[in-house]
Amino acid sequence: MKRYRNGEIWDFEHQMPVAAGAGGVILGLDGGTTSTVCICMPILPFSDPFPDPVPVLARAVAGCTNHNSVGEAAARETLEQVMAEALANSGSNRSVVRAVCLAISGVNHPTDQQRILDWLRDIFPSHVRLYVQNDAVAALACGTLGKLHGCVLIAGTGTIAYGFTEDGREARAAGAGPTLGDWGSGYGIAAQALTAVVRANDGRGPDTKLTSSILEELGLSSPDELIGWTYADPSWARIAALVPVVVSCAEAGDEVANKILFDSVQELGLSVKAVVQRLGLCGPEGKDSFPLVMVGGVLEANKRWDIGTEVIKCISKGYPGAVPIRPKVEPAVGAALLAWNFCMKESLKEAFKR
């Protein structure tokens, strides 16, 4: 174990000795494009069911940890800082950590996982069990309390659909980032709205209430200023923050805004349908039930234009067995529950080998 980059991140451990016999803890981390949350959870006896509510000793929040968005060095530094803060807030240190599960957007390939695992191994003692997943996996787990079965749809700044069968097969759709078309995401919705304003301004598209509403929101005086505003800082979260403006315009009856949201619903529905079809979650006749976990700010209820409800209606037409779940715990807790389940399975395998 060694310190990565900034040694002072872990200096608190020298002033915070952990009492002998202290119980172990698990770190669960949900790293998105907008923010990162890390929670510290006490390790639960394997024979016990999960208590309700799930106990959380401490919680820490930081910025983006998607290496595709901020770069690998910045992502790693933020990850280390938020894990250290969660441990410090819980009165624990690395010596009592039993497992860590990082669920991070931008983890799209086994090489991504291995690179992060190698880095984590330099931070934590050798006894700590380490797991790295895409953030969609933790989002599914927060709805199913750690069980990897069903499909999750995330629609926040970015979007992805991810699914697992009970025998461990997995599939995903979308989640390739805005350049490759994250349609239905917060970024995708807002980018289409900005495009609609530019098109209306130069005569290529219809007039829209989006023009006055977005200019007012951004404190700009003309659509021509949007170009400078957009490219001064084209970060995904900054663009996606305009989604509430698009929803308000749609609720006020603007046809352009309504079409953007309607098209987004169809795209999000297509992502889920692609995963369900590839995994056969709906059964041979298309009627079997399966959990459909819904996560992300885009899917939260609005006054009249409820994107999440419309997506559920779209999916239920083809797959009536879909069981929508709005999680009661956040994805960081889902990541911790995943680590707990992985530990339990590995411990049982080791016990059978004896």
Side-chain angles (χ1 to χ4, degrees):
M1 178 178 70
K2 65 182 180 182
R3 291 173 177 170
Y4 181 82
R5 298 193 62 174
N6 297 321
E8 66 272 12
I9 289 176
W10 299 101
D11 280 350
F12 75 90
E13 292 181 323
H14 302 302
Q15 289 81 39
M16 191 183 292
V18 176
V25 300
I26 290 175
L27 291 179
L29 184 145
D30 170 49
T33 306
T34 302
S35 64
T36 298
V37 176
C38 182
I39 67 105
C40 183
M41 181 183 86
I43 196 159
L44 307 171
F46 288 154
S47 59
D48 285 357
F50 290 128
D52 186 14
V54 176
V56 173
L57 299 174
R59 183 178 187 269
V61 182
C64 174
T65 48
N66 183 322
H67 66 272
N68 294 323
S69 179
V70 298
E72 192 162 316
R76 286 184 175 185
E77 184 168 347
T78 302
L79 286 169
E80 189 168 4
Q81 287 174 339
V82 76
M83 288 188 291
E85 184 179 345
L87 277 175
N89 291 346
S90 71
S92 306
N93 64 35
R94 287 175 287 179
S95 67
V96 298
V97 176
R98 296 294 174 262
V100 177
C101 180
L102 302 191
I104 313 169
S105 65
V107 174
N108 300 314
H109 192 272
T111 56
D112 297 326
Q113 290 177 303
Q114 192 58 53
R115 191 168 62 249
I116 297 172
L117 283 170
D118 291 343
W119 166 71
L120 281 176
R121 184 50 64 204
D122 285 339
I123 294 176
F124 288 96
S126 59
H127 72 268
V128 180
R129 292 177 173 175
L130 304 172
Y131 310 98
V132 176
Q133 301 282 350
N134 184 278
D135 64 330
V137 182
L140 174 60
C142 78
T144 60
L145 293 182
K147 184 179 180 181
L148 290 183
H149 171 241
C151 183
V152 62
L153 174 64
I154 299 177
T157 299
T159 183
I160 188 172
Y162 214 116
F164 281 84
T165 60
E166 292 186 291
D167 61 3
R169 292 182 297 117
E170 59 187 277
R172 59 176 281 174
T179 303
L180 298 177
D182 250 356
W183 308 125
S185 69
Y187 181 96
I189 291 170
Q192 288 182 76
L194 290 171
T195 300
V197 172
V198 172
R199 289 174 61 86
N201 184 54
D202 63 22
R204 288 179 295 146
D207 290 337
T208 170
K209 181 176 173 57
L210 289 167
T211 300
S212 59
S213 296
I214 288 178
L215 292 180
E216 181 180 354
E217 177 71 18
L218 301 180
L220 303 178
S221 58
S222 78
D224 293 331
E225 295 179 57
L226 276 180
I227 298 172
W229 179 88
T230 300
Y231 293 108
D233 177 11
S235 64
W236 303 346
R238 178 171 175 259
I239 303 296
L242 292 172
V243 168
V245 178
V246 183
V247 173
S248 294
C249 289
E251 290 177 342
D254 184 80
E255 291 184 6
V256 174
N258 269 289
K259 185 177 187 306
I260 290 172
L261 296 186
F262 177 80
D263 290 347
S264 297
V265 166
Q266 300 305 306
E267 287 289 341
L268 294 171
L270 283 173
S271 295
V272 172
K273 290 175 182 178
V275 170
V276 173
Q277 288 172 356
R278 286 164 62 189
L279 295 178
L281 291 174
C282 55
E285 296 182 4
K287 296 181 180 179
D288 286 6
S289 65
F290 61 90
L292 174 60
V293 180
M294 310 282 285
V295 176
V298 169
L299 301 175
E300 293 175 359
N302 292 287
K303 296 176 183 177
R304 291 188 298 276
W305 231 117
D306 188 336
I307 296 174
T309 297
E310 293 303 317
V311 170
I312 292 170
K313 290 179 181 177
C314 175
I315 295 165
S316 296
K317 289 178 182 178
Y319 303 111
V323 180
I325 297 174
R326 304 277 187 168
K328 295 181 180 179
V329 299
E330 62 183 334
V333 175
L337 294 177
L338 273 179
W340 188 91
N341 273 337
F342 289 151
C343 281
M344 181 177 67
K345 290 178 181 178
E346 290 176 10
S347 295
L348 288 174
K349 286 181 181 179
E350 291 171 3
F352 284 129
K353 290 179 182 177
R354 295 171 186 165

